[in-house]
Amino acid sequence: MTLLQPLTLRPFRPPTDAPVLRSWIPDPTALMTWAGPNFTWPLDDAQLAAYATEPGRRAWTAVSPAATTDGPRQDARADTAGGGTTDDPLHGPTLDPSLSPSPSPSLGTRLGTPLGHVSLADGRLGRVLIAPGARGRGLGERLVSLAVSVGFDELALPEIHLGVWTHNTAALRVYEKLGFRTTATLEAVEVVDGVPWSVHRMRLAASDRRQ
């Protein structure tokens, strides 16, 4: 039996976390898939610091005290579940694990190894991303589940919304497994490299939550 790696959320800390997060997003297409048109390329620490302090937003880094960023990558897309507002649907691409930074000893000891990122803003789940070298372990579902738990149990939200690219079938499976259902589809909201990208709006009510 495979033991699940411990995973917890702590507040996103731009001075230490922004450079790590940026290293997981290597090009403009990856940025669009993560956050839609809400950032500009090249992504920099100032943009991430401003994002983290937006009114009503809670952003987290997912950490594990016993993590590594090298490991199995089977069905890695399932660990890049994307979600966000209807103007920032996302889908984390499968990236080269060599792009994942090695945390400094002090960071790893004090804060745990960074493995992912997620945020909530006014009831909208978004900016979901798993470290490239940590994909293929089911962490995407666990990351989203933790954020959903905060939304319902700590923030007492009546429902949580998100947007996800329609071509991100792995993310859709994660969200549907957790109880999210599609409420609308917006066609061709962005054009990336000449290809129109569409987005599903999804919703999960507290009463429909799957524990």
Side-chain angles (χ1 to χ4, degrees):
M1 181 177 68
T2 301
L3 295 177
L4 291 178
Q5 188 171 301
L7 193 67
T8 60
L9 299 181
R10 63 160 172 75
F12 178 70
R13 300 167 180 172
T16 54
D17 293 340
V20 176
L21 181 57
R22 282 194 297 104
S23 75
W24 300 345
I25 305 168
D27 55 49
T29 299
L31 181 60
M32 176 66 74
T33 60
W34 176 61
N38 295 285
F39 294 92
T40 59
W41 185 261
L43 184 62
D44 56 34
D45 292 351
Q47 291 183 73
L48 290 172
Y51 145 76
T53 58
E54 290 172 356
R57 183 175 298 280
R58 297 185 65 177
W60 298 280
T61 296
V63 298
S64 174
T68 67
T69 53
D70 297 312
R73 291 171 55 79
Q74 307 95 302
D75 193 22
R77 289 179 302 168
D79 280 336
T80 58
T85 66
T86 55
D87 63 350
D88 73 345
L90 53 111
H91 149 251
T94 301
L95 305 178
D96 186 336
S98 66
L99 296 171
S100 181
S102 298
S104 67
S106 61
L107 179 64
T109 300
R110 292 185 294 107
L111 305 179
T113 301
L115 293 181
H117 181 86
V118 65
S119 73
L120 273 170
D122 300 323
R124 295 184 183 275
L125 178 73
R127 313 291 162 77
V128 181
L129 192 62
I130 294 293
R135 295 174 187 167
R137 306 176 187 177
L139 295 179
E141 179 182 340
R142 291 164 58 201
L143 174 61
V144 172
S145 182
L146 287 170
V148 166
S149 294
V150 172
F152 288 141
D153 297 338
E154 296 184 23
L155 304 180
L157 297 173
E159 58 188 26
I160 294 174
H161 297 264
L162 61 84
V164 60
W165 299 117
T166 58
H167 60 264
N168 187 5
T169 56
L172 285 168
R173 286 195 297 268
V174 167
Y175 293 133
E176 289 172 350
K177 184 175 181 180
L178 294 174
F180 284 88
R181 292 295 177 261
T182 298
T183 59
T185 300
L186 305 179
E187 301 290 344
V189 295
E190 295 291 339
V191 177
V192 180
D193 295 329
V195 178
W197 286 16
S198 302
V199 62
H200 290 312
R201 288 180 174 175
M202 303 188 80
R203 170 185 175 273
L204 175 62
S207 58
D208 296 329
R209 176 187 183 187
R210 295 181 181 176
Q211 300 285 352

